[in-house]
C-alpha cells in the first residue's frame, strides 16, 4: 500500500472499531483510536506476516502489551483474513474468542496480554530466541505510556539492551492520558527519551499519526546494530473523533447512537478528503 491507501485503511479501521464497540456496548475507545495508525503501518506495510499461515516460523512477531486497546487489532486481523470479519459482531459477547484483551486462541495473536508491564518481557524473550536460533524475524511490542510506571518494563528494557537485541522494536503509544487522567499527574514518566537512552536503547521520536514518518521509522529499524529500538510515538487519545480527542473519559467510554453517527460522519468526510487529495475513485 502507498501512503494514501494506508491513511484510508486506518480511517476505515477506526470506523470498524467504533461500530464494534458500539455494538458490544463495551471497549476501550480512546486508546484503540490512538494506536490505529501505528498498527496500520505495521500490519499493512512493515511486518512480514501471512494470514494464510499464522504460525509461519519466519514471521515477524507483534505483542500488544497495552492489551486493553485490542479493538483496532481485532479489526485489522479480521480485515487481513486471519479470521472471518463477521466474527467482529461477537466482540465481548458470551462465548466469543474476541474478548477485551488479546487471546492467543485467535489466529494472529502471539500471546495473551493485558496485565500491563508484561508485554516487553515476552518480546525480549522472543527476540532473544530469534538470535539464538539464527532467525531473521523482528519482534514489535506496543506499550502504553501509563504502562511506563511499571517496574517490569524497565527490567525488560535492561535485558533487551544487555543482550544486544537489535531485532526488537518497542513502541510507546504516547497519548498522554490513562484511565484516571494525565500520566504526568498520575505518575510522572518524563523525560522518556532520556530514560530509554540511558537504558541502552536507540530512541526515535515520531508523530504517531504521520503515516509517512511512521513507515519510515518502522521499516528502518534497527538503525543501530547491537541496540534495540524504542519508537516514541506522540499520539492523540481518540484520534479522528473531534469531540472525544484528548478527553480522559473516553478511555473506556462507549459511544451512544448519536455519538456514533457523528464520529462516522467525521471519519467518512476525512476519507473523502484523502481520496480527493490522492486522486482516488470512490471504492
Amino acid at each position: 500500500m502507498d501512503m494514501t491507501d494506508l491513511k484510508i485503511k486506518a480511517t476505515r479501521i477506526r470506523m470498524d472499531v467504533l461500530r464494534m464497540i458500539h455494538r458490544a456496548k463495551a471497549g476501550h475507545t480512546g486508546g484503540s483510536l490512538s494506536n490505529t495508525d501505528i498498527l496500520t503501518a505495521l500490519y499493512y506495510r512493515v511486518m512480514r506476516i501471512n494470514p494464510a499461515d499464522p504460525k509461519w516460523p519466519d514471521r515477524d512477531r507483534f505483542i500488544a502489551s497495552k492489551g486493553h486497546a485490542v479493538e483496532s487489532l481485532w479489526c485489522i486481523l479480521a480485515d487481513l483474513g486471519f479470521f472471518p470479519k463477521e466474527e467482529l459482531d461477537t466482540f465481548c459477547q458470551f462465548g466469543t474468542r474476541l474478548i477485551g484483551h488479546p487471546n492467543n486462541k485467535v489466529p494472529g495473536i502471539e500471546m495473551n496480554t493485558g496485565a500491563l508491564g508484561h508485554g516487553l518481557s515476552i518480546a525480549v524473550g522472543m527476540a532473544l530466541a530469534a538470535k539464538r536460533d539464527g532467525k531473521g524475524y523482528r519482534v514489535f511490542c506496543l506499550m502504553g505510556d501509563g504502562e511506563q510506571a511499571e517496574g517490569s518494563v524497565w527490567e525488560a528494557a535492561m535485558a533487551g539492551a544487555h543482550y544486544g537485541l537489535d531485532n526488537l522494536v518497542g513502541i510507546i503509544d504516547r497519548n498522554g492520558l490513562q484511565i484516571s487522567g494525565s500520566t504526568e499527574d498520575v505518575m510522572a514518566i518524563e523525560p522518556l527519551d532520556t530514560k530509554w537512552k540511558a537504558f541502552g536503547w536507540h530512541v526515535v521520536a515520531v508523530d504517531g499519526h504521520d503515516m509517512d514518518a511512521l513507515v519510515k521509522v518502522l521499516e528502518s529499524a534497527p538503525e543501530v546494530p547491537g541496540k534495540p529500538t524504542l519508537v516514541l510515538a506522540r499520539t492523540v487519545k481518540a484520534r479522528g473523533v473531534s469531540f472525544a480527542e484528548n478527553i480522559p473519559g473516553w478511555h473506556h467510554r462507549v459511544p451512544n447512537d448519536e455519538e456514533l453517527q457523528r464520529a462516522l460522519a467525521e471519519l467518512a468526510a476525512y476519507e473523502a478528503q484523502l481520496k480527493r487529495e490522492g486522486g482516488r475513485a470512490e471504492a
Side-chain angles (χ1 to χ4, degrees), residues 25-274:
K25 296 180 171 54
H28 289 81
T29 303
S32 292
L33 296 180
S34 71
N35 72 28
T36 297
D37 294 310
I38 297 167
L39 295 184
T40 300
L42 284 172
Y43 275 90
Y44 293 92
R45 179 69 180 253
V46 175
M47 291 199 306
R48 295 180 304 169
I49 54 174
N50 182 2
D53 186 9
K55 295 297 185 181
W56 174 40
D58 293 322
R59 71 191 181 281
D60 288 333
R61 273 72 166 167
F62 174 76
I63 299 294
S65 190
K66 56 172 296 183
H68 59 278
V70 72
E71 291 83 356
S72 46
L73 180 56
W74 287 146
C75 291
I76 286 172
L77 292 177
D79 184 65
L80 287 170
F82 281 90
F83 58 85
K85 197 164 185 178
E86 294 75 22
E87 194 170 346
L88 294 176
D89 293 346
T90 73
F91 173 64
C92 278
Q93 304 303 304
F94 180 75
T96 185
R97 297 189 298 175
L98 305 185
I99 57 177
H101 291 81
N103 168 21
N104 64 4
K105 292 182 173 63
V106 180
I109 299 296
E110 302 288 346
M111 182 65 65
N112 296 0
T113 55
L116 294 176
H118 295 176
L120 188 63
S121 296
I122 297 167
V124 165
M126 289 180 169
L128 182 58
K131 288 285 188 182
R132 293 187 172 179
D133 290 343
K135 296 289 188 178
Y137 62 79
R138 291 183 293 174
V139 182
F140 297 87
C141 178
L142 178 64
M143 297 174 280
D145 47 10
E147 183 177 0
Q148 304 305 297
E150 301 277 357
S152 51
V153 169
W154 300 101
E155 293 179 44
M158 282 192 291
H162 175 77
Y163 290 107
L165 300 180
D166 52 14
N167 57 343
L168 173 62
V169 181
I171 308 165
I172 299 176
D173 183 5
R174 184 67 173 116
N175 59 40
L177 297 173
Q178 56 193 100
I179 191 168
S180 52
S182 162
T183 58
E184 299 311 289
D185 290 335
V186 176
M187 178 63 70
I189 55 176
E190 291 292 353
L192 274 178
D193 54 350
T194 304
K195 289 176 180 176
W196 280 89
K197 287 176 184 177
F199 273 72
W201 288 55
H202 174 62
V203 178
V204 184
V206 66
D207 180 343
H209 301 303
D210 183 333
M211 191 63 71
D212 303 70
L214 274 172
V215 168
K216 182 178 179 181
V217 166
L218 294 169
E219 282 187 333
S220 64
E223 290 186 6
V224 180
K227 280 191 173 187
T229 297
L230 189 283
V231 178
L232 186 55
R234 303 284 179 177
T235 60
V236 175
K237 195 98 167 181
R239 172 73 171 196
V241 180
S242 63
F243 57 85
E245 288 185 350
N246 279 322
I247 297 176
W250 279 94
H251 178 90
H252 198 284
R253 179 176 166 182
V254 175
N256 60 33
D257 293 350
E258 187 269 336
E259 288 167 338
L260 175 66
Q261 294 309 312
R262 285 176 61 194
L264 293 178
E266 285 188 14
L267 290 165
Y270 181 58
E271 180 182 345
Q273 175 187 331
L274 289 171

